[in-house]
Amino acid sequence: MFTSPGSGRAAVGLTTAALASVSLLSQSAQAAPDEPKQSIEEVQKKVDELYRQAGTATQQYNQAKERSEKQRTKVDRLLDDVAKRTDKLNEARRMLGSYAAAQYRNGGMASTATMMLADDPQGYFDQDHLMSRMTGRQRQAVEDFQTEQEAASKKRAEATESLASLTESQKELRTTKESVQGKLSEARELLSKLTAEEKARLAELERKREAEARRKAEELARQQAEKARQEQEQEQNDGSGSTDGGSDSGTDSGADSYATKAAKAIDFARAQIGKPYVWGATGPNSYDCSGLTQAAWKYAGVSLPRTTWDQVKVGTRVATEDLKPGDLVFFYDDISHVGLYIGDGQMIHAPKPGANVRTEAITYMPIYGSVRPA
């Protein structure tokens, strides 16, 4: 078969180009190797950390939302005040106008009328020779006008400042919301890349972690029971040698009151088991961790702040070994999670996105501290 020189050169050119492409692809592959695949343990650790960071961001969101709502209430109140002050100012202005009109009809001095109708009569007001020509009621009308004008101006300035603060709070609210969503998206993305086998391995690791937490919680419950037994023995021994049987009645009464309230809070929390965790939620269909504890104690007649950072400041601090049902247990160094203690080393809490309100060992997470809120 006859081949022209031109076609031969074209074939050689195509072959050379193909070889060059293969070479470049090979070099690219060598220059940018795939990142080593994370182990399941590393994935679990990373996801746990992302959920913890999301929990912290949720508390920041709750704090910003609470601040924004308070600021909105303040702004609304100030705007109402501005409207009322404006009405009073207009009424004072109408009174001045009626006096000016009367003076005009009676041939009064034009300068006096000008003063009364001016937006700012201060300059005229300071002139003694004009004031001397005014009646007592006219002087009072001018003073009332000035008072209302100053008050209205002050309220408008306060409203303007509060509106600026509200805008800043709403900006913070949007930022923290984006932070929560970003952390959760990153966690979901990590989990979505796992194979079925890897997900099964991850679930097995979680079961082992929960079993270890239960073991520690059972040990804690045994220690608490032993301590309670020893304290009861001591009280009985102390009581056998005392003739004053009513000396502890005040203490007993306080303990009974707390136990009653705690039982109500726990009953409420139990009724929420199975409802989904939703960040920023306070019920009744879903909760975040501090939203659940706040709602539970509200049912018992005790008002708690919204965030974990404020709830930890309420009531009396108690050691882990001294926990009683109803106490609040806080977790992590940044106090980003809270649960309601129910006894035997267990709590009811709203755990994290994708999970429902449930009972769990308090030893599942690192404990920061605990409080007795009432």
Side-chain angles (χ1 to χ4, degrees), residues 8-57:
R9 285 193 297 270
V12 171
L14 289 171
T15 302
T16 303
L19 289 172
S21 299
V22 171
S23 178
L24 285 171
L25 288 171
S26 176
Q27 291 173 6
S28 298
Q30 293 174 358
D34 292 337
E35 292 183 2
K37 187 175 179 64
Q38 289 181 317
S39 67
I40 295 301
E41 290 78 7
E42 289 172 333
V43 170
Q44 182 190 46
K45 184 177 180 180
K46 179 64 174 176
V47 169
D48 285 347
E49 177 61 18
L50 286 169
Y51 279 138
R52 189 194 65 77
Q53 291 175 3
T56 302

mmCIF file of all heavy atoms in Angstrom, residues 8-57:
data_model
loop_
_atom_site.group_PDB
_atom_site.id
_atom_site.type_symbol
_atom_site.label_atom_id
_atom_site.label_comp_id
_atom_site.label_asym_id
_atom_site.label_seq_id
_atom_site.Cartn_x
_atom_site.Cartn_y
_atom_site.Cartn_z
ATOM 1 N N GLY A 8 2.748 10.042 6.649
ATOM 2 C CA GLY A 8 3.706 9.421 7.578
ATOM 3 C C GLY A 8 4.108 10.393 8.663
ATOM 4 O O GLY A 8 4.217 10.049 9.838
ATOM 5 N N ARG A 9 4.368 11.641 8.218
ATOM 6 C CA ARG A 9 4.762 12.642 9.223
ATOM 7 C C ARG A 9 3.617 12.877 10.230
ATOM 8 O O ARG A 9 3.837 13.081 11.414
ATOM 9 C CB ARG A 9 5.123 13.944 8.516
ATOM 10 C CG ARG A 9 6.491 13.879 7.819
ATOM 11 C CD ARG A 9 6.944 15.271 7.409
ATOM 12 N NE ARG A 9 6.048 15.871 6.430
ATOM 13 C CZ ARG A 9 6.197 15.733 5.117
ATOM 14 N NH1 ARG A 9 7.164 14.982 4.614
ATOM 15 N NH2 ARG A 9 5.341 16.329 4.278
ATOM 16 N N ALA A 10 2.357 12.860 9.728
ATOM 17 C CA ALA A 10 1.204 13.061 10.612
ATOM 18 C C ALA A 10 1.097 11.951 11.645
ATOM 19 O O ALA A 10 0.817 12.188 12.826
ATOM 20 C CB ALA A 10 -0.078 13.137 9.788
ATOM 21 N N ALA A 11 1.334 10.712 11.211
ATOM 22 C CA ALA A 11 1.249 9.575 12.129
ATOM 23 C C ALA A 11 2.305 9.667 13.217
ATOM 24 O O ALA A 11 2.056 9.418 14.392
ATOM 25 C CB ALA A 11 1.411 8.267 11.342
ATOM 26 N N VAL A 12 3.518 10.051 12.783
ATOM 27 C CA VAL A 12 4.599 10.196 13.768
ATOM 28 C C VAL A 12 4.257 11.272 14.781
ATOM 29 O O VAL A 12 4.468 11.151 15.984
ATOM 30 C CB VAL A 12 5.931 10.527 13.044
ATOM 31 C CG1 VAL A 12 6.995 10.908 14.066
ATOM 32 C CG2 VAL A 12 6.389 9.331 12.230
ATOM 33 N N GLY A 13 3.662 12.393 14.281
ATOM 34 C CA GLY A 13 3.287 13.494 15.186
ATOM 35 C C GLY A 13 2.257 13.056 16.194
ATOM 36 O O GLY A 13 2.338 13.394 17.384
ATOM 37 N N LEU A 14 1.243 12.293 15.759
ATOM 38 C CA LEU A 14 0.211 11.828 16.678
ATOM 39 C C LEU A 14 0.780 10.884 17.728
ATOM 40 O O LEU A 14 0.432 10.940 18.900
ATOM 41 C CB LEU A 14 -0.904 11.115 15.890
ATOM 42 C CG LEU A 14 -1.797 12.028 15.028
ATOM 43 C CD1 LEU A 14 -2.703 11.179 14.148
ATOM 44 C CD2 LEU A 14 -2.632 12.936 15.930
ATOM 45 N N THR A 15 1.691 10.001 17.259
ATOM 46 C CA THR A 15 2.305 9.062 18.202
ATOM 47 C C THR A 15 3.115 9.800 19.255
ATOM 48 O O THR A 15 3.061 9.501 20.458
ATOM 49 C CB THR A 15 3.201 8.084 17.447
ATOM 50 O OG1 THR A 15 2.419 7.409 16.478
ATOM 51 C CG2 THR A 15 3.812 7.066 18.414
ATOM 52 N N THR A 16 3.865 10.802 18.807
ATOM 53 C CA THR A 16 4.686 11.591 19.738
ATOM 54 C C THR A 16 3.818 12.314 20.760
ATOM 55 O O THR A 16 4.115 12.346 21.952
ATOM 56 C CB THR A 16 5.515 12.626 18.960
ATOM 57 O OG1 THR A 16 6.310 11.940 17.999
ATOM 58 C CG2 THR A 16 6.405 13.424 19.904
ATOM 59 N N ALA A 17 2.687 12.880 20.287
ATOM 60 C CA ALA A 17 1.782 13.596 21.180
ATOM 61 C C ALA A 17 1.170 12.652 22.214
ATOM 62 O O ALA A 17 1.031 12.992 23.390
ATOM 63 C CB ALA A 17 0.682 14.268 20.374
ATOM 64 N N ALA A 18 0.808 11.439 21.753
ATOM 65 C CA ALA A 18 0.224 10.466 22.666
ATOM 66 C C ALA A 18 1.213 10.055 23.743
ATOM 67 O O ALA A 18 0.884 9.964 24.925
ATOM 68 C CB ALA A 18 -0.246 9.233 21.883
ATOM 69 N N LEU A 19 2.472 9.828 23.329
ATOM 70 C CA LEU A 19 3.511 9.459 24.294
ATOM 71 C C LEU A 19 3.752 10.573 25.304
ATOM 72 O O LEU A 19 3.945 10.341 26.497
ATOM 73 C CB LEU A 19 4.816 9.117 23.560
ATOM 74 C CG LEU A 19 4.798 7.802 22.765
ATOM 75 C CD1 LEU A 19 6.068 7.679 21.933
ATOM 76 C CD2 LEU A 19 4.675 6.620 23.724
ATOM 77 N N ALA A 20 3.714 11.813 24.810
ATOM 78 C CA ALA A 20 3.923 12.962 25.696
ATOM 79 C C ALA A 20 2.795 13.057 26.724
ATOM 80 O O ALA A 20 3.018 13.363 27.904
ATOM 81 C CB ALA A 20 3.996 14.250 24.891
ATOM 82 N N SER A 21 1.544 12.777 26.293
ATOM 83 C CA SER A 21 0.408 12.826 27.203
ATOM 84 C C SER A 21 0.536 11.778 28.291
ATOM 85 O O SER A 21 0.288 12.033 29.472
ATOM 86 C CB SER A 21 -0.904 12.625 26.444
ATOM 87 O OG SER A 21 -1.078 13.650 25.489
ATOM 88 N N VAL A 22 0.928 10.558 27.879
ATOM 89 C CA VAL A 22 1.110 9.485 28.854
ATOM 90 C C VAL A 22 2.175 9.859 29.860
ATOM 91 O O VAL A 22 2.046 9.656 31.071
ATOM 92 C CB VAL A 22 1.462 8.166 28.144
ATOM 93 C CG1 VAL A 22 1.861 7.100 29.172
ATOM 94 C CG2 VAL A 22 0.287 7.681 27.319
ATOM 95 N N SER A 23 3.269 10.464 29.367
ATOM 96 C CA SER A 23 4.366 10.876 30.239
ATOM 97 C C SER A 23 3.906 11.928 31.249
ATOM 98 O O SER A 23 4.224 11.865 32.431
ATOM 99 C CB SER A 23 5.524 11.425 29.402
ATOM 100 O OG SER A 23 6.560 11.876 30.239
ATOM 101 N N LEU A 24 3.131 12.895 30.766
ATOM 102 C CA LEU A 24 2.650 13.962 31.647
ATOM 103 C C LEU A 24 1.709 13.408 32.705
ATOM 104 O O LEU A 24 1.767 13.802 33.879
ATOM 105 C CB LEU A 24 1.938 15.037 30.828
ATOM 106 C CG LEU A 24 2.850 15.962 30.008
ATOM 107 C CD1 LEU A 24 2.004 16.828 29.086
ATOM 108 C CD2 LEU A 24 3.709 16.825 30.926
ATOM 109 N N LEU A 25 0.812 12.486 32.292
ATOM 110 C CA LEU A 25 -0.110 11.885 33.255
ATOM 111 C C LEU A 25 0.642 11.109 34.315
ATOM 112 O O LEU A 25 0.307 11.139 35.510
ATOM 113 C CB LEU A 25 -1.098 10.952 32.535
ATOM 114 C CG LEU A 25 -2.166 11.651 31.681
ATOM 115 C CD1 LEU A 25 -2.931 10.614 30.856
ATOM 116 C CD2 LEU A 25 -3.120 12.443 32.562
ATOM 117 N N SER A 26 1.691 10.408 33.892
ATOM 118 C CA SER A 26 2.500 9.640 34.834
ATOM 119 C C SER A 26 3.192 10.548 35.830
ATOM 120 O O SER A 26 3.228 10.298 37.029
ATOM 121 C CB SER A 26 3.530 8.807 34.058
ATOM 122 O OG SER A 26 4.386 8.128 34.969
ATOM 123 N N GLN A 27 3.726 11.676 35.312
ATOM 124 C CA GLN A 27 4.405 12.624 36.190
ATOM 125 C C GLN A 27 3.427 13.248 37.181
ATOM 126 O O GLN A 27 3.746 13.467 38.344
ATOM 127 C CB GLN A 27 5.068 13.721 35.356
ATOM 128 C CG GLN A 27 6.267 13.204 34.545
ATOM 129 C CD GLN A 27 6.805 14.266 33.600
ATOM 130 O OE1 GLN A 27 6.353 15.396 33.640
ATOM 131 N NE2 GLN A 27 7.757 13.883 32.773
ATOM 132 N N SER A 28 2.207 13.560 36.712
ATOM 133 C CA SER A 28 1.199 14.160 37.585
ATOM 134 C C SER A 28 0.826 13.204 38.713
ATOM 135 O O SER A 28 0.657 13.606 39.867
ATOM 136 C CB SER A 28 -0.052 14.527 36.790
ATOM 137 O OG SER A 28 0.270 15.488 35.804
ATOM 138 N N ALA A 29 0.682 11.935 38.352
ATOM 139 C CA ALA A 29 0.321 10.943 39.351
ATOM 140 C C ALA A 29 1.405 10.811 40.403
ATOM 141 O O ALA A 29 1.141 10.659 41.590
ATOM 142 C CB ALA A 29 0.058 9.582 38.682
ATOM 143 N N GLN A 30 2.681 10.900 39.953
ATOM 144 C CA GLN A 30 3.777 10.793 40.890
ATOM 145 C C GLN A 30 3.898 12.059 41.741
ATOM 146 O O GLN A 30 4.248 12.018 42.906
ATOM 147 C CB GLN A 30 5.079 10.539 40.137
ATOM 148 C CG GLN A 30 5.116 9.171 39.464
ATOM 149 C CD GLN A 30 6.361 9.001 38.611
ATOM 150 O OE1 GLN A 30 7.168 9.922 38.511
ATOM 151 N NE2 GLN A 30 6.508 7.842 37.993
ATOM 152 N N ALA A 31 3.589 13.219 41.148
ATOM 153 C CA ALA A 31 3.745 14.490 41.844
ATOM 154 C C ALA A 31 2.664 14.697 42.901
ATOM 155 O O ALA A 31 2.878 15.362 43.895
ATOM 156 C CB ALA A 31 3.700 15.643 40.848
ATOM 157 N N ALA A 32 1.444 14.131 42.688
ATOM 158 C CA ALA A 32 0.342 14.336 43.621
ATOM 159 C C ALA A 32 -0.258 12.995 44.034
ATOM 160 O O ALA A 32 -1.329 12.610 43.593
ATOM 161 C CB ALA A 32 -0.739 15.213 42.996
ATOM 162 N N PRO A 33 0.449 12.233 44.863
ATOM 163 C CA PRO A 33 -0.059 10.928 45.297
ATOM 164 C C PRO A 33 -1.290 11.101 46.188
ATOM 165 O O PRO A 33 -1.476 12.127 46.835
ATOM 166 C CB PRO A 33 1.111 10.344 46.101
ATOM 167 C CG PRO A 33 1.860 11.551 46.588
ATOM 168 C CD PRO A 33 1.724 12.565 45.495
ATOM 169 N N ASP A 34 -2.150 10.090 46.209
ATOM 170 C CA ASP A 34 -3.337 10.123 47.049
ATOM 171 C C ASP A 34 -2.948 10.187 48.520
ATOM 172 O O ASP A 34 -1.956 9.577 48.951
ATOM 173 C CB ASP A 34 -4.203 8.882 46.806
ATOM 174 C CG ASP A 34 -4.816 8.900 45.409
ATOM 175 O OD1 ASP A 34 -4.938 10.011 44.851
ATOM 176 O OD2 ASP A 34 -5.156 7.818 44.905
ATOM 177 N N GLU A 35 -3.746 10.945 49.324
ATOM 178 C CA GLU A 35 -3.490 11.011 50.751
ATOM 179 C C GLU A 35 -3.787 9.645 51.370
ATOM 180 O O GLU A 35 -4.707 8.955 50.944
ATOM 181 C CB GLU A 35 -4.380 12.071 51.389
ATOM 182 C CG GLU A 35 -4.041 13.486 50.970
ATOM 183 C CD GLU A 35 -4.911 14.493 51.689
ATOM 184 O OE1 GLU A 35 -5.729 14.069 52.534
ATOM 185 O OE2 GLU A 35 -4.760 15.696 51.408
ATOM 186 N N PRO A 36 -3.008 9.245 52.372
ATOM 187 C CA PRO A 36 -3.255 7.939 52.998
ATOM 188 C C PRO A 36 -4.637 7.901 53.623
ATOM 189 O O PRO A 36 -5.093 8.872 54.219
ATOM 190 C CB PRO A 36 -2.160 7.852 54.070
ATOM 191 C CG PRO A 36 -1.725 9.268 54.300
ATOM 192 C CD PRO A 36 -1.878 9.951 52.972
ATOM 193 N N LYS A 37 -5.317 6.789 53.493
ATOM 194 C CA LYS A 37 -6.683 6.637 53.997
ATOM 195 C C LYS A 37 -6.672 6.592 55.523
ATOM 196 O O LYS A 37 -5.823 5.918 56.126
ATOM 197 C CB LYS A 37 -7.306 5.362 53.429
ATOM 198 C CG LYS A 37 -8.784 5.205 53.755
ATOM 199 C CD LYS A 37 -9.345 3.989 53.062
ATOM 200 C CE LYS A 37 -10.822 3.798 53.406
ATOM 201 N NZ LYS A 37 -11.643 4.909 52.924
ATOM 202 N N GLN A 38 -7.577 7.312 56.130
ATOM 203 C CA GLN A 38 -7.653 7.327 57.583
ATOM 204 C C GLN A 38 -8.155 5.988 58.109
ATOM 205 O O GLN A 38 -9.003 5.343 57.499
ATOM 206 C CB GLN A 38 -8.595 8.437 58.056
ATOM 207 C CG GLN A 38 -8.061 9.840 57.863
ATOM 208 C CD GLN A 38 -9.038 10.894 58.382
ATOM 209 O OE1 GLN A 38 -10.229 10.805 58.160
ATOM 210 N NE2 GLN A 38 -8.507 11.886 59.081
ATOM 211 N N SER A 39 -7.643 5.602 59.279
ATOM 212 C CA SER A 39 -8.156 4.388 59.916
ATOM 213 C C SER A 39 -9.537 4.689 60.497
ATOM 214 O O SER A 39 -9.927 5.852 60.674
ATOM 215 C CB SER A 39 -7.216 3.955 61.040
ATOM 216 O OG SER A 39 -7.238 4.904 62.099
ATOM 217 N N ILE A 40 -10.284 3.620 60.824
ATOM 218 C CA ILE A 40 -11.612 3.798 61.399
ATOM 219 C C ILE A 40 -11.508 4.523 62.736
ATOM 220 O O ILE A 40 -12.350 5.372 63.074
ATOM 221 C CB ILE A 40 -12.313 2.439 61.575
ATOM 222 C CG1 ILE A 40 -12.572 1.800 60.197
ATOM 223 C CG2 ILE A 40 -13.637 2.610 62.314
ATOM 224 C CD1 ILE A 40 -13.434 2.654 59.295
ATOM 225 N N GLU A 41 -10.471 4.210 63.497
ATOM 226 C CA GLU A 41 -10.278 4.880 64.784
ATOM 227 C C GLU A 41 -10.061 6.384 64.591
ATOM 228 O O GLU A 41 -10.590 7.204 65.364
ATOM 229 C CB GLU A 41 -9.089 4.269 65.531
ATOM 230 C CG GLU A 41 -9.310 2.863 66.056
ATOM 231 C CD GLU A 41 -9.197 1.788 64.978
ATOM 232 O OE1 GLU A 41 -8.805 2.135 63.827
ATOM 233 O OE2 GLU A 41 -9.477 0.622 65.277
ATOM 234 N N GLU A 42 -9.302 6.732 63.561
ATOM 235 C CA GLU A 42 -9.065 8.151 63.275
ATOM 236 C C GLU A 42 -10.342 8.846 62.821
ATOM 237 O O GLU A 42 -10.605 9.996 63.186
ATOM 238 C CB GLU A 42 -7.973 8.287 62.214
ATOM 239 C CG GLU A 42 -6.580 7.934 62.711
ATOM 240 C CD GLU A 42 -5.543 7.890 61.601
ATOM 241 O OE1 GLU A 42 -5.926 7.610 60.430
ATOM 242 O OE2 GLU A 42 -4.369 8.143 61.879
ATOM 243 N N VAL A 43 -11.134 8.139 62.019
ATOM 244 C CA VAL A 43 -12.416 8.701 61.564
ATOM 245 C C VAL A 43 -13.329 8.938 62.765
ATOM 246 O O VAL A 43 -13.965 9.997 62.894
ATOM 247 C CB VAL A 43 -13.102 7.769 60.553
ATOM 248 C CG1 VAL A 43 -14.529 8.235 60.271
ATOM 249 C CG2 VAL A 43 -12.311 7.729 59.251
ATOM 250 N N GLN A 44 -13.404 7.945 63.660
ATOM 251 C CA GLN A 44 -14.249 8.085 64.848
ATOM 252 C C GLN A 44 -13.815 9.278 65.690
ATOM 253 O O GLN A 44 -14.646 10.084 66.135
ATOM 254 C CB GLN A 44 -14.175 6.814 65.697
ATOM 255 C CG GLN A 44 -15.081 6.865 66.928
ATOM 256 C CD GLN A 44 -14.819 5.717 67.883
ATOM 257 O OE1 GLN A 44 -13.662 5.411 68.184
ATOM 258 N NE2 GLN A 44 -15.884 5.073 68.351
ATOM 259 N N LYS A 45 -12.516 9.411 65.865
ATOM 260 C CA LYS A 45 -11.981 10.522 66.669
ATOM 261 C C LYS A 45 -12.298 11.862 66.011
ATOM 262 O O LYS A 45 -12.695 12.829 66.684
ATOM 263 C CB LYS A 45 -10.473 10.354 66.836
ATOM 264 C CG LYS A 45 -9.837 11.403 67.736
ATOM 265 C CD LYS A 45 -8.355 11.130 67.909
ATOM 266 C CE LYS A 45 -7.711 12.200 68.810
ATOM 267 N NZ LYS A 45 -6.256 11.948 68.992
ATOM 268 N N LYS A 46 -12.146 11.913 64.684
ATOM 269 C CA LYS A 46 -12.411 13.153 63.954
ATOM 270 C C LYS A 46 -13.892 13.519 64.010
ATOM 271 O O LYS A 46 -14.257 14.687 64.238
ATOM 272 C CB LYS A 46 -11.957 13.003 62.498
ATOM 273 C CG LYS A 46 -12.214 14.235 61.629
ATOM 274 C CD LYS A 46 -11.411 15.433 62.095
ATOM 275 C CE LYS A 46 -11.571 16.604 61.146
ATOM 276 N NZ LYS A 46 -10.872 17.819 61.640
ATOM 277 N N VAL A 47 -14.765 12.536 63.813
ATOM 278 C CA VAL A 47 -16.214 12.795 63.846
ATOM 279 C C VAL A 47 -16.641 13.244 65.242
ATOM 280 O O VAL A 47 -17.427 14.189 65.392
ATOM 281 C CB VAL A 47 -16.995 11.534 63.423
ATOM 282 C CG1 VAL A 47 -18.488 11.692 63.717
ATOM 283 C CG2 VAL A 47 -16.801 11.275 61.924
ATOM 284 N N ASP A 48 -16.115 12.572 66.273
ATOM 285 C CA ASP A 48 -16.433 12.966 67.647
ATOM 286 C C ASP A 48 -16.022 14.408 67.911
ATOM 287 O O ASP A 48 -16.754 15.175 68.550
ATOM 288 C CB ASP A 48 -15.730 12.045 68.646
ATOM 289 C CG ASP A 48 -16.384 10.676 68.741
ATOM 290 O OD1 ASP A 48 -17.507 10.518 68.231
ATOM 291 O OD2 ASP A 48 -15.761 9.756 69.311
ATOM 292 N N GLU A 49 -14.845 14.786 67.421
ATOM 293 C CA GLU A 49 -14.357 16.145 67.624
ATOM 294 C C GLU A 49 -15.217 17.157 66.879
ATOM 295 O O GLU A 49 -15.515 18.242 67.399
ATOM 296 C CB GLU A 49 -12.899 16.248 67.161
ATOM 297 C CG GLU A 49 -12.287 17.643 67.254
ATOM 298 C CD GLU A 49 -12.242 18.198 68.662
ATOM 299 O OE1 GLU A 49 -12.366 17.408 69.627
ATOM 300 O OE2 GLU A 49 -12.082 19.421 68.811
ATOM 301 N N LEU A 50 -15.661 16.808 65.677
ATOM 302 C CA LEU A 50 -16.529 17.702 64.915
ATOM 303 C C LEU A 50 -17.878 17.891 65.615
ATOM 304 O O LEU A 50 -18.400 19.002 65.668
ATOM 305 C CB LEU A 50 -16.732 17.163 63.496
ATOM 306 C CG LEU A 50 -15.537 17.314 62.555
ATOM 307 C CD1 LEU A 50 -15.755 16.513 61.274
ATOM 308 C CD2 LEU A 50 -15.313 18.792 62.211
ATOM 309 N N TYR A 51 -18.421 16.801 66.154
ATOM 310 C CA TYR A 51 -19.678 16.910 66.884
ATOM 311 C C TYR A 51 -19.498 17.762 68.145
ATOM 312 O O TYR A 51 -20.384 18.538 68.517
ATOM 313 C CB TYR A 51 -20.211 15.532 67.266
ATOM 314 C CG TYR A 51 -20.955 14.829 66.150
ATOM 315 C CD1 TYR A 51 -20.782 13.476 65.900
ATOM 316 C CD2 TYR A 51 -21.839 15.532 65.339
ATOM 317 C CE1 TYR A 51 -21.470 12.835 64.871
ATOM 318 C CE2 TYR A 51 -22.535 14.902 64.318
ATOM 319 C CZ TYR A 51 -22.339 13.549 64.082
ATOM 320 O OH TYR A 51 -23.011 12.923 63.071
ATOM 321 N N ARG A 52 -18.344 17.602 68.821
ATOM 322 C CA ARG A 52 -18.092 18.411 70.009
ATOM 323 C C ARG A 52 -17.984 19.888 69.632
ATOM 324 O O ARG A 52 -18.527 20.766 70.315
ATOM 325 C CB ARG A 52 -16.802 17.956 70.700
ATOM 326 C CG ARG A 52 -16.608 18.608 72.069
ATOM 327 C CD ARG A 52 -15.198 18.431 72.576
ATOM 328 N NE ARG A 52 -14.244 19.128 71.724
ATOM 329 C CZ ARG A 52 -14.043 20.439 71.737
ATOM 330 N NH1 ARG A 52 -14.754 21.228 72.521
ATOM 331 N NH2 ARG A 52 -13.145 20.983 70.940
ATOM 332 N N GLN A 53 -17.273 20.173 68.533
ATOM 333 C CA GLN A 53 -17.151 21.558 68.069
ATOM 334 C C GLN A 53 -18.517 22.117 67.663
ATOM 335 O O GLN A 53 -18.809 23.296 67.907
ATOM 336 C CB GLN A 53 -16.174 21.631 66.892
ATOM 337 C CG GLN A 53 -14.737 21.369 67.273
ATOM 338 C CD GLN A 53 -13.810 21.319 66.070
ATOM 339 O OE1 GLN A 53 -14.228 21.540 64.931
ATOM 340 N NE2 GLN A 53 -12.547 21.016 66.299
ATOM 341 N N ALA A 54 -19.335 21.261 67.065
ATOM 342 C CA ALA A 54 -20.692 21.694 66.703
ATOM 343 C C ALA A 54 -21.504 21.996 67.958
ATOM 344 O O ALA A 54 -22.313 22.928 67.985
ATOM 345 C CB ALA A 54 -21.390 20.619 65.873
ATOM 346 N N GLY A 55 -21.272 21.200 69.025
ATOM 347 C CA GLY A 55 -21.954 21.452 70.288
ATOM 348 C C GLY A 55 -21.557 22.797 70.875
ATOM 349 O O GLY A 55 -22.401 23.546 71.388
ATOM 350 N N THR A 56 -20.269 23.112 70.794
ATOM 351 C CA THR A 56 -19.790 24.411 71.273
ATOM 352 C C THR A 56 -20.404 25.536 70.452
ATOM 353 O O THR A 56 -20.879 26.550 71.004
ATOM 354 C CB THR A 56 -18.256 24.482 71.172
ATOM 355 O OG1 THR A 56 -17.673 23.420 71.937
ATOM 356 C CG2 THR A 56 -17.728 25.814 71.701
ATOM 357 N N ALA A 57 -20.409 25.369 69.135
ATOM 358 C CA ALA A 57 -20.995 26.388 68.259
ATOM 359 C C ALA A 57 -22.498 26.525 68.507
ATOM 360 O O ALA A 57 -23.054 27.629 68.393
ATOM 361 C CB ALA A 57 -20.737 26.035 66.792
#
